[in-house]
């Protein structure tokens, strides 16, 4: 395998994982129908497989079986009507799967002694994971509360809104109108800033260690 592709495959190789996450991000919000949610959740299953390979999540067979079952089942459930309870359950299932991958990725990235392409790809993947996790949670909220939770209402996976909050852009074109979702929005904004601050500090420290060792 060419050396310039080694960062994509195997343990601590997060390129494939990042590909599936970005695909899920790009395909969502593209329609008011439910099929983008289905495709996005299928991309999450692909991300789950890539996450298993990159983080050793799959070494524990019980954990592997549980997460795979949640991922596949929730991928099926999000295909139901947007107001149906199965969609809410499926959206929460997708968030759980992505959260498990996030924890594993962050653990692997922080264990690196030197900054390399795998480290950078893993850090970007972790940041994208946070945005997608909150997007699925926002989608789940639509089935838990009467009336819209965002204004204007977002029928498909609200990744645009989630990343707008995560990056604290705050364009104001979509706003939370539910009290709980307003607090969830603030929590995501704080999570994004804290993650960037701590991650950048860690990468700088790792880069400094690498420079000194050379």
């Amino acid at each position: 395998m060419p050396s310039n592709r080694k960062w994509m495959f195997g343990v601590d190789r997060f390129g494939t994982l990042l590909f599936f996450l970005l695909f899920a991000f790009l395909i969502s919000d593209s329609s008011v129908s439910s099929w983008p949610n289905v495709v996005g959740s299928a991309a999450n299953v692909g991300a789950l497989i890539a996450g298993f390979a990159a983080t050793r999540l799959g070494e524990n067979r019980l954990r592997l079986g549980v997460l795979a079952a949640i991922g596949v089942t929730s991928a099926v459930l999000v295909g139901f009507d947007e107001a149906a309870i199965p969609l809410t359950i499926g959206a929460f299932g997708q968030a759980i799967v992505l959260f498990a991958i996030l924890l594993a990725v962050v653990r692997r990235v922080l264990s690196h002694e030197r900054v390399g392409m795998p480290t950078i790809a893993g850090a970007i993947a972790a940041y994208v994971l946070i945005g997608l996790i909150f997007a699925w949670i926002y989608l789940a909220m639509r089935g838990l509360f009467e009336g819209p939770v965002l204004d204007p209402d977002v029928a498909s996976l609200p990744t645009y809104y989630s990343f707008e909050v995560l990056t604290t852009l705050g364009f104001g074109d979509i706003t939370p109108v539910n009290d709980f979702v307003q607090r969830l929005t603030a929590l995501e904004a704080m999570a994004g800033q804290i993650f960037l601050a701590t991650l950048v500090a860690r990468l700088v420290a790792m880069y400094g260690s690498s420079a000194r060792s050379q």
Side-chain angles (χ1 to χ4, degrees):
M1 184 179 298
S3 58
N4 62 342
R5 295 184 180 179
K6 286 184 178 180
W7 67 283
M8 294 190 68
F9 305 99
V11 177
D12 285 348
R13 310 304 184 187
F14 299 107
T16 305
L17 171 61
L18 183 58
F19 167 80
F20 280 110
L21 294 176
L22 291 177
F23 178 75
F25 168 75
L26 292 174
I27 196 63
S28 60
D29 279 346
S30 60
S31 172
V32 296
S33 64
S34 62
W35 73 264
N37 296 335
V38 178
V39 177
S41 61
N44 284 350
V45 175
L48 177 61
I49 297 173
F52 283 155
T55 63
R56 299 186 185 275
L57 268 174
E59 290 185 345
N60 186 310
R61 292 187 177 181
L62 176 60
R63 180 172 54 196
L64 171 63
V66 171
L67 289 177
I70 294 175
V72 174
T73 302
S74 59
V76 174
L77 291 176
V78 295
F80 284 78
D81 181 76
E82 63 185 46
I85 293 179
L87 172 61
T88 300
I89 298 175
F92 275 125
Q94 291 293 304
I96 291 172
V97 169
L98 292 181
F99 184 71
I101 299 174
L102 172 64
L103 292 179
V105 169
V106 171
R107 183 183 62 184
R108 296 298 305 182
V109 168
L110 294 181
S111 68
H112 291 184
E113 296 181 356
R114 296 184 177 182
V115 176
M117 186 61 73
T119 312
I120 296 173
I124 297 173
Y127 192 68
V128 175
L129 277 165
I130 295 175
L132 290 176
I133 289 170
F134 275 94
W136 284 108
I137 294 176
Y138 291 133
L139 182 64
M141 294 296 102
R142 299 183 74 250
L144 290 182
F145 298 102
E146 294 183 2
V149 297
L150 299 175
D151 182 27
D153 193 19
V154 179
S156 58
L157 188 64
T159 51
Y160 168 71
Y161 173 75
S162 180
F163 280 89
E164 187 181 48
V165 173
L166 184 67
T167 56
T168 65
L169 289 176
F171 290 134
D173 51 346
I174 303 177
T175 57
V177 293
N178 176 275
D179 290 342
F180 181 79
V181 175
Q182 288 174 348
R183 290 168 175 78
L184 191 63
T185 296
L187 180 63
E188 181 181 9
M190 289 188 293
Q193 294 305 298
I194 292 172
F195 179 83
L196 284 180
T198 56
L199 181 65
V200 169
R202 174 59 178 169
L203 291 180
V204 170
M206 291 164 60
Y207 180 79
S209 299
S210 300
R212 287 192 297 271
S213 65
Q214 294 175 358

